[in-house]
Amino acid sequence: MLIDAHCHLDFPDFDADREAVVERARAVGVAHFVVPGTTRARWPNVLALGERGDVSVCLGLHPYFMDEHREGDLAALEAALDVVAPRVVGIGECGIDARFAETLDDQWALFDVQLRLAKSRELPVVIHCVRANDQVAKRLRQLALPAGGLIHAFAGSPEQASKFLDLGFVVGLGGAVTFERAKRLQRAVESLPDDGYVLETDSPDMPLAGHRGERNEPAGVAEVCRVVARLRGQDTDRVATDSTDTARRLFNC
């Protein structure tokens, strides 16, 4: 059994064939999906997916969509959690994307409130962290979140991975590990403890090597599993079991 610990099944990219996408994932052993929220406007679709028995959901405000966030969204997030708390397994997707320097101050302000909300609710937090691993790790150390969380789409060094693990977080391994040039990330994968990672796709984004320009799907997590197993010198069943156990522990799914 595999869990895709981070996929955006709510995105319109899947509107035409969502059930077929799920069936293709099931056919390769993916039995559960964790779907994070990205904007307030998309939360209803995320929550609707959470009505399925094979989907767990998170709610959050993503730094990539800063132009879509509005005053009142953070208050709406807290209010939504008051209503749907049992159906939500984490806060996110939130975080920092340092590629967008013009919104960086606003990103940090938005991120910090969501981190504090995760702390007060004792929920794991799903973090989008691009070119900001060290800064994000520093902030997480200051806050000491009780439920830890996921560093989604981790692409850092073994040393950065170790810092996140020491803070009670796990790292998400996805399509990036399948690219031959990703030597630093692959060294990090080799160094991780068995309970230090989950497998994910970030579909419809982050296609695997050999599939550039194509829509990514949760079924791709099976190939991620094979690559991670090869890098770690383990069989795929072991990696599937370890990553699934870690996802279940993190998200209580």
Side-chain angles (χ1 to χ4, degrees), residues 39-52:
T39 66
R40 181 180 177 180
R42 297 216 60 81
W43 295 344
N45 291 345
V46 171
L47 290 169
L49 283 169
E51 297 291 337
R52 302 173 55 116

Side-chain angles (χ1 to χ4, degrees), residues 81-125:
L81 291 174
D82 288 336
V83 175
V84 298
R87 297 162 53 196
V88 176
V89 299
I91 302 296
E93 182 175 356
C94 59
I96 300 297
D97 196 321
R99 294 173 299 179
F100 306 107
E102 68 280 3
T103 64
L104 204 50
D105 288 345
D106 290 338
Q107 287 184 46
W108 276 108
L110 189 69
F111 184 38
D112 200 60
V113 175
Q114 291 178 89
L115 290 177
R116 293 180 181 279
L117 184 57
K119 183 171 185 174
S120 67
R121 300 291 180 121
E122 297 188 355
L123 286 169
V125 60

Side-chain angles (χ1 to χ4, degrees), residues 182-251:
K183 299 300 185 184
R184 183 180 71 161
L185 172 57
Q186 290 170 356
R187 289 195 300 272
V189 171
E190 294 169 2
S191 74
L192 293 169
D194 291 336
D195 62 353
Y197 66 92
V198 296
L199 304 179
E200 57 176 34
T201 62
D202 198 29
S203 52
D205 299 319
M206 292 186 66
L208 281 63
H211 297 276
R212 280 190 176 278
E214 300 177 18
R215 182 187 70 174
N216 197 10
E217 294 189 8
V221 81
E223 176 61 18
V224 175
C225 181
R226 286 189 285 271
V227 172
V228 170
R230 175 175 55 81
L231 291 170
R232 294 175 61 78
Q234 297 172 325
D235 62 45
T236 55
D237 286 346
R238 170 70 179 275
V239 169
T241 297
D242 288 342
S243 62
T244 293
D245 288 349
T246 299
R248 283 173 165 165
R249 169 175 55 83
L250 179 63
F251 292 119

